[in-house]
DNA sequence: ATCACTGTATTACTTCATTGATACAGTGAG
DNA sequence: CTCACTGTATCAATGAAGTAATACAGTGAT
């Protein structure tokens, strides 16, 4: 793996975002145990502190649960994961809408631009 | 005015973004002269350097033009402004699409979420 | 008891970016 | 010429943030 990091954003944020995407996309299952902090540090080629910091963010969102001396686990709370999935979608859509309306674009323009993008993405 | 700044993003970027929105939204007209750097510094309540730095970004995009001892002006190039407007819309739509597809959302989910947001925004 | 494994906390380094102070330079009106 | 106005360049202070090093602490298998 070793995920190529963008130099302009903190690594711990990029790892947190990556993990969150994987979890929401279903690459990890509810209840799964994560690799240990030190193992993940090797995988991502960063120091353990950076991993810990990333995972703290996810734990604050309730996505992870810690067993003090045993490891960290994806929450087994299915409902929470489903809710999170919906929240992410709505929040991203809302942010984009807010921004583009501030630029003076009409609802029709925004919707049409998005349709075009999705058509392009589908055909790949 | 004095625009309340978010503490987490550099002020010069926020000012640049604000100006760009105003220009794309049509609050300034092509060819308009901007207030002097020192005047804008007073208006935004920041130091002149911060304004200069913000305006440099817009100048690099071709949105502004400088007359060395006379001031800065919105470009009179109408076509450029129209093109910029379209670019912004497409770029934002593309970024959001990329991100949400990485989360595993389907095109249908994305489109529907955006429609919902726009409906909400319209009715306000 | 010891070892190997978990996560946690503390501290410090170091780098980097943002902002501010100040000086430079050109133009045109009076 | 001088003043008042433009934008520009340079350099320093500060402050914040990210990362790394290291030590702490708990558990369970052998």
């Amino acid at each position: 793996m070793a995920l190529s990091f963008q130099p302009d954003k903190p690594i711990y944020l990029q790892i947190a975002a990556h993990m969150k995407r994987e979890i929401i996309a279903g690459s990890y299952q509810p209840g799964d145990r994560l690799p240990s902090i030190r193992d993940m540090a090797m995988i991502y080629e960063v120091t353990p502190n950076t991993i810990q910091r990333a995972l703290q963010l996810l734990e604050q969102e309730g996505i992870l649960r810690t067993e003090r001396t045993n490891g960290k686990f994806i929450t087994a709370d299915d409902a929470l994961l489903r809710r999170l999935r919906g929240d992410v979608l709505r929040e991203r859509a809302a942010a984009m809408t807010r921004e583009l309306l501030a630029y003076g674009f009409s609802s029709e323009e925004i919707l049409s631009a998005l349709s075009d993008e999705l058509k392009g993405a589908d055909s790949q």
Side-chain angles (χ1 to χ4, degrees), chain A residues 15 19 33-57 59 64-73:
Chain A
I15 292 176
M19 292 292 300
R33 183 178 179 283
L34 296 186
S36 79
I37 286 181
R38 286 168 180 83
D39 284 353
M40 292 186 67
M42 308 246 289
I43 294 172
Y44 283 101
E45 296 175 0
V46 298
T47 74
N49 302 48
T50 304
I51 298 292
Q52 195 195 354
R53 192 152 177 201
L55 297 185
Q56 273 176 350
L57 294 180
E59 188 152 5
L64 299 183
R65 166 183 58 87
T66 295
E67 289 184 16
R68 180 70 167 78
T69 65
N70 194 25
K72 289 176 181 289
F73 300 79

Side-chain angles (χ1 to χ4, degrees), chain A residues 82-98:
Chain A
R82 279 197 305 276
R83 180 158 20 93
L84 178 67
R85 190 170 187 276
D87 287 350
V88 166
L89 179 56
R90 271 188 300 280
E91 192 280 323
R92 292 285 70 203
M96 179 195 168
T97 301
R98 253 183 279 119

Side-chain angles (χ1 to χ4, degrees), chain A residues 106-123:
Chain A
S106 71
S107 294
E108 291 71 27
E109 285 176 304
I110 296 171
L111 203 52
S112 143
L114 195 81
S115 305
D116 290 350
E117 281 302 323
L118 288 172
K119 274 176 208 136
D122 280 347
S123 61

